[in-house]
Amino acid sequence: MPTSVLVVEDDDKIAAPLVRTLEREGYEVERLPEGLPALPRLAAGGVDLLLLDLGLPDVDGLDLCRRAREDGFTGGIIILTARDGELDRVVGLDVGADDYLAKPFGLAELLARARALLRRSAPAPVATPVRTNGSTPRFRVDVQARRTWVGDRELQATTKEFDVLALLDATRGAVVARDQLISEVWDENWYGSTKTLDATIGRLRQKLEEAGASVEITTVRGVGFRLEDRPHA
């Protein structure tokens, strides 16, 4: 089944060659010139990657990104925009984007970033045992399926949130340094600020708390973060 890409871009001069290139690469592509219709489309499911312009005629792309995540969209999001300041990039990542590419951009670079993001989101080909919390599977991370469970309920997480949580869970009880989290989760897409990591950790803590998870993320000041079982969980 081809990978589905939704392009939300109002400029025909940018959208047309982008759509043609993506289709040549084998993606199943839909394009919307406005932002608000994208929300019900994403909610309907079947979209693996959202390529999102910020300067849309009916809604700011940042607001659309935030609302898409709040609505439960867990696919990849790459923001495409002329706003290329560091603060713009930080805000874009903080509201839920996985990557941020300033215009004008090269199509080859965009395709490479899309492949990298989708590769990180794809299930691994070989199954391995699912991690559990002792004999009671109250919290578990299925790395192969890229799904997180609290009891029998799935915890919705963005690509970056899942990557951070999986990395912490892989060494549960041990400290993972901030530098390690940044390099392994954001790698070449990291723009130098630590605010995005802190925001991601904050969202994960809120989701774990709201789900009643048996684990929590603690801060080791000046070092990093640790995923540990809650007392009496």
Side-chain angles (χ1 to χ4, degrees):
M1 188 173 180
T3 300
S4 176
V5 180
L6 177 62
V7 177
V8 181
E9 169 64 68
D10 65 321
D11 190 337
D12 292 339
K13 293 180 181 178
I14 295 176
L18 179 56
V19 169
R20 285 197 300 271
T21 300
L22 289 167
E23 289 177 338
R24 280 200 301 269
E25 292 294 316
Y27 295 106
E28 185 177 274
V29 186
E30 298 176 63
R31 183 247 174 153
L32 293 172
E34 296 183 335
L36 290 178
L39 290 173
R41 175 61 192 91
L42 294 172
V47 175
D48 301 300
L49 175 64
L50 170 63
L51 299 181
L52 176 63
D53 179 31
L54 293 187
L56 298 168
D58 58 340
V59 64
D60 187 272
L62 291 173
D63 185 46
L64 175 61
C65 182
R66 178 183 56 78
R67 293 169 64 178
R69 291 306 191 197
E70 289 176 349
D71 291 345
F73 177 64
T74 57
I77 298 178
I78 300 178
I79 287 178
L80 308 175
T81 180
R83 307 175 195 172
D84 61 350
E86 180 182 0
L87 181 59
D88 295 316
R89 295 193 292 270
V90 169
V91 172
L93 295 170
D94 282 351
V95 297
D98 298 293
D99 199 357
Y100 195 108
L101 191 57
K103 297 177 181 176
F105 55 82
L107 289 174
E109 181 181 2
L110 172 60
L111 291 173
R113 290 179 181 246
R115 287 193 297 269
L117 179 57
L118 292 167
R119 189 166 54 244
R120 290 196 294 271
S121 303
V126 179
T128 59
V130 173
R131 290 180 59 85
T132 63
N133 177 23
S135 59
T136 305
R138 296 187 60 189
F139 174 83
R140 59 188 172 89
V141 176
D142 187 338
V143 175
Q144 271 58 53
R146 292 190 64 84
R147 304 176 79 178
T148 305
W149 299 91
V150 177
D152 59 356
R153 297 182 59 185
E154 184 172 4
L155 186 76
Q156 298 298 322
T158 67
T159 301
K160 296 300 186 188
E161 289 168 357
F162 179 86
D163 289 342
V164 169
L165 196 54
L167 189 55
L168 292 173
D169 186 63
T171 54
R172 192 186 299 190
V175 178
V176 181
R178 297 176 67 91
D179 290 347
Q180 181 182 352
L181 285 165
I182 290 171
S183 63
E184 294 194 22
V185 174
W186 278 269
D187 52 68
E188 75 276 11
N189 301 320
W190 182 252
Y191 296 100
S193 171
T194 62
K195 293 181 179 178
T196 297
L197 172 59
D198 293 325
T200 302
I201 292 290
R203 291 195 301 271
L204 283 172
R205 282 175 169 153
Q206 181 177 1
K207 290 182 178 182
L208 292 171
E209 177 70 26
E210 291 176 349
S214 57
V215 297
E216 60 185 359
I217 299 174
T218 60
T219 300
V220 180
R221 190 175 299 278
V223 181
F225 302 94
R226 179 174 58 225
L227 185 71
E228 56 187 19
D229 296 330
R230 293 182 188 275
H232 312 299

